[in-house]
Amino acid sequence: MARQIFFDRTGGPEVLRMREVPVTAPGEGEARIKVDAIGVNRADAMFRENRYFYPPNLPSGLGYEAAGVVEALGPGVTEVAVGDSVAVLPTFTLTAYGTYGDHVILPAVALVPRPHDSDPVTEAAAWMAYVTAYGALVEGDPVAKGEHVLLTAATGGVGLAAVQVANRIGAVPIATTRTPAKKQRLLDAGAAHVIVTGEESLTERVLDITDGRGVTTAMDPVGGPGIAEVIGAVSSGGRLLAYGLLDPRNDPSQGLPAVPGIDLSLYTLFPVTGDPERRRNAIDFVAAGLADGAFTPVVDRTFDFGDFTEAHRHMESSAQFGKIVLTVRH
Ligand SMILES: NC(=O)c1ccc[n+]([C@@H]2O[C@H](COP(=O)([O-])OP(=O)(O)OC[C@H]3O[C@@H](n4cnc5c(N)ncnc54)[C@H](OP(=O)(O)O)[C@@H]3O)[C@@H](O)[C@H]2O)c1
């Protein structure tokens, strides 16, 4: 039997439960993974609350991120072999697959080979965050060397990865936090400038830093009323990639405001991970950064697999700096 974290009603962290399910054979194009570490993501919490961009089919598993070892292959799998150490890159919906288990079945295309001696906690924390930042800042219309990028809620997993990706390509990351105590940590993590929202005007500080021009690219996972301040910090002809809905005042059914002169768009990593060539390029970029030490995933805290409720509560407290990871003992 395998252990799986699931929920059969939507709501807060208390709806999550553990159950035993039979270990099944992977189907066509699938692999079964013995999971060593699971990255906890805001998307998991939003899905659990039915605030994500698609609803759960109850009872539902969850989880986009993990690292482990391949233990069985379905027909037609060529990407990985039994015994490979792998990390998980989300290419799937949470209604079809999930990583919150000790043995899980996933599409083989979602598996990224990782060095055998790599740390599963770090790898479970890395891939979704860095590929999200890569797709926004590097792919397609890359941020040029010396350009400023604005990264709001930069103390999150994606924000901290985006700081490192921006530095990797020679851009200048301007990071924001609501929490004064996290300011120095953001500077230590590579942010060139940190704005503590609530203490200072985001728009004014960015215009000051950029000699009145504003940034050419902003990544915002918050939305809500604060988006006006972010819009004010983007240069004419610049772009704002809205990639999350952290502010609970967001109404997911409402689109983004039209802002003349600014390309304001919803951004997700799924077109990157869903396309074989784009996925390969993303994996190469992130793997190179992890290998040469430019990318060092920031893990805030690990929880034992059984402490999933506490892990979700910690995430929702927003006290974290970086990723939260569940560790699985076999
Ligand atoms: N579009 C995509 O492809 C994609 C991929 C991955 C994640 N996401 C989404 O991106 C968002 C961020 O993910 P993450 O993993 O980086 O987040 P996270 O690790 O949970 O951290 C988010 C940070 O945001 C700040 N924050 C939390 N609630 C806030 C609020 N209401 N208003 C302003 N700031 C708030 C907190 O920092 P301070 O205390 O410093 O303010 C917190 O440390 C989530 O909504 C997630 O679903 C989207």
Side-chain angles (χ1 to χ4, degrees):
M1 299 294 277
R3 292 174 292 162
Q4 184 203 32
I5 299 165
F6 78 108
F7 57 105
D8 56 10
R9 62 192 169 94
T10 57
E14 70 284 352
V15 303
L16 295 175
R17 287 158 52 201
M18 179 90 82
R19 67 180 173 183
E20 294 215 323
V21 293
V23 175
T24 53
E28 177 92 29
E30 294 177 334
R32 195 175 68 236
I33 312 303
K34 181 165 83 63
V35 176
D36 294 312
I38 301 162
V40 176
N41 196 283
R42 282 281 173 161
D44 307 337
M46 296 178 78
F47 183 63
R48 190 201 68 218
E49 291 178 317
N50 197 15
R51 288 204 306 122
Y52 199 46
F53 67 91
Y54 52 83
N57 298 323
L58 299 174
S60 177
L62 68 171
Y64 276 132
E65 304 175 272
V69 176
V70 178
E71 59 179 6
L73 298 179
V77 173
T78 53
E79 294 84 352
V80 288
V82 170
D84 281 358
S85 297
V86 291
V88 179
L89 181 59
T91 59
F92 48 85
T93 63
L94 298 176
T95 46
Y97 297 96
T99 58
Y100 278 34
D102 59 357
H103 299 267
V104 300
I105 289 181
L106 293 166
V109 294
L111 303 178
V112 183
R114 63 183 174 91
H116 282 289
D117 58 355
S118 60
D119 169 30
V121 169
T122 306
E123 293 274 337
W127 286 90
M128 185 167 187
Y130 284 96
V131 170
T132 302
Y134 161 86
L137 302 179
V138 181
E139 209 205 31
D141 187 11
V143 175
K145 220 171 173 166
E147 272 182 5
H148 291 86
V149 293
L150 174 60
L151 307 168
T152 61
T155 59
V158 177
L160 285 163
V163 166
Q164 294 180 15
V165 169
N167 282 324
R168 174 78 158 182
I169 60 176
V172 184
I174 304 172
T176 80
T177 174
R178 300 166 303 173
T179 311
K182 295 181 185 176
K183 177 175 181 172
Q184 188 56 46
R185 296 183 74 184
L186 272 174
L187 290 166
D188 295 343
H193 306 272
V194 176
I195 301 168
V196 181
T197 57
E199 285 192 347
E200 47 195 339
S201 158
L202 186 157
T203 306
E204 279 175 24
R205 269 295 308 282
V206 171
L207 293 177
D208 190 36
I209 291 164
T210 58
D211 295 329
R213 291 187 302 272
V215 292
T216 48
T217 300
M219 287 181 70
D220 178 69
V222 181
I227 197 83
E229 281 269 287
V230 183
I231 290 169
V234 178
S235 65
S236 176
R239 61 190 174 141
L240 198 177
L241 302 165
Y243 70 96
L245 299 169
L246 286 170
D247 191 315
R249 290 168 290 186
N250 282 299
D251 176 354
S253 67
Q254 281 192 345
L256 294 166
V259 185
I262 293 179
D263 178 7
L264 179 46
S265 57
L266 291 173
Y267 164 78
T268 84
L269 83 168
F270 291 104
V272 179
T273 61
D275 177 88
E277 192 182 339
R278 295 173 72 181
R279 182 170 64 243
R280 206 165 30 249
N281 291 338
I283 289 172
D284 287 350
F285 179 84
V286 174
L290 290 171
D292 68 20
F295 299 159
T296 52
V298 180
V299 176
D300 170 72
R301 192 167 156 192
T302 61
F303 289 82
D304 187 73
F305 183 48
D307 294 332
F308 48 87
T309 308
E310 205 189 323
H312 270 229
R313 288 209 172 103
H314 181 58
M315 177 172 54
E316 294 190 347
S317 75
S318 287
Q320 75 270 33
F321 187 86
K323 293 288 296 182
I324 298 160
V325 178
L326 297 172
T327 55
V328 184
R329 266 174 296 172
H330 291 275

